[in-house]
Amino acid sequence: MSIKRVNGVALLCAVLVLLGCVPKPSDDDKRVVLASYRTQAYLLYSDAFAASEALYAALNTLVDRPSAASLAAARQAGSAARVPYSQTEALRFGHWFVDQWEEKINRWPVDEGFIDYVDERYRASSSNAWAHANIIAAEHIDVRGRLVPLPYMVHRQLTMLEMESGVESIVASGFHAIEFMLWGQDVSSEQPLSGQRPWSDFAYGAACSDGAITGVDESHCRKRREFLLTLALQLRSTLLEMREHWSAAPGSPGSRLLAGDVDVGLGRMLLGMAAMSIEELAGERIQAALLSGSPEDEQDCFSDDTFQSLWYNALGVENVYYGRYRGSQDFTATLSLAVLASRYQPALAADLDAAFARSKQLFAEIRHRGVSGEQYFDQLIHDEPALLRSTITALQRQAQLLEALAVQLAVPLSDPALQAAY
């Protein structure tokens, strides 16, 4: 074929796209995809809520009967609760109400010295006046020149402290505060070893400890027990709230999304997936840790479960694209973004299949290193930066292709905060 003929075909294709003559999915098909998306989101948050209830039950057992066994069971429940929740994060950036709400439940990093005792080598930001406040042991805290008593750990006061601090890493809510309370500070970045908080940190009477220090004031253990249950109750109620946001009830954000402009809805799906891939996973959760070289910049730094969270974050993005979920109820969409892509943009669909497969391969390797105990994420930062850089590159490619799909489907990728009416 001559160059002139090739250019003519290319020009014709461009004109057809501009004129809208290239086949596009119908609005009815797009609405079916959105309906499946809402159902998938509801199932995800239902499982996340159920897991938070199981965590609350395990924490109650730890609080009632502190022991090595009850602490191990609580840690297991904490890790299990992260599995469905981590998959929900593919929904974050496309929906203003999810992204704003997420701060209540998954804020990190955490300045752990604000909450409890830390190793003497602990370094926090010099701009954080409460970096060593230790509200567990402290009798009071200075809030704008006023000494506020800290006899008990109650939700209203903890929320006030978060707000008054003006420091993002002052965290007294959500998964990572619970994680710190269950595992304690991770002081080992050179070997695969998570935090080693002893069960006696929750003990009654003379058995109460602050780590290796025994015979401490029993109020320290009492306040830890109160803090744990306060955190767990807040986590449970917030996840229930988000589950209901995605219900089919009239007037819910999920229902309004389904009833609204289908192109805006698909745009939000694709924006959430692309932003989670390139901004959050590649950027905040991998690149930031690589650049700083600090274990403090890994998401699950106390439990060293980052390899699991990353795997399920990536799986959540993939599942939204393919319209599937494996949980308490397995779900497969009747129509998905992947199906629309294969029908109307087969070449792009093939590229997306390859991109998701490549990302999955790399995250599987990261996860294998962690599950086997060979290398946790904080060791990978120093020992295997090439693996992490390859993962970043794969996520960037994945995000670019998702954005290309939005262009080809003629759906907008706009900031959902600008369209918050739904």
Side-chain angles (χ1 to χ4, degrees), residues 244-315:
E244 295 312 302
H245 277 0
W246 288 101
S247 75
S252 72
S255 291
R256 295 201 297 273
L257 175 70
L258 183 56
D261 186 307
V262 289
D263 288 333
V264 170
L266 289 187
R268 286 180 176 146
M269 287 180 68
L270 286 159
L271 177 64
M273 296 158 64
M276 186 65 200
S277 298
I278 196 169
E279 294 179 15
E280 192 67 19
L281 272 175
E284 294 293 329
R285 302 193 182 181
I286 301 180
Q287 183 70 33
L290 269 178
L291 289 175
S292 71
S294 171
E296 292 293 320
D297 285 323
E298 67 162 317
Q299 185 180 196
D300 300 78
C301 65
F302 310 118
S303 63
D304 273 333
D305 264 355
T306 301
F307 63 91
Q308 294 280 35
S309 293
L310 291 175
W311 168 262
Y312 286 109
N313 284 156
L315 182 63

Side-chain angles (χ1 to χ4, degrees), residues 201-212:
D201 276 9
F202 304 99
Y204 289 82
C208 179
S209 69
D210 285 348

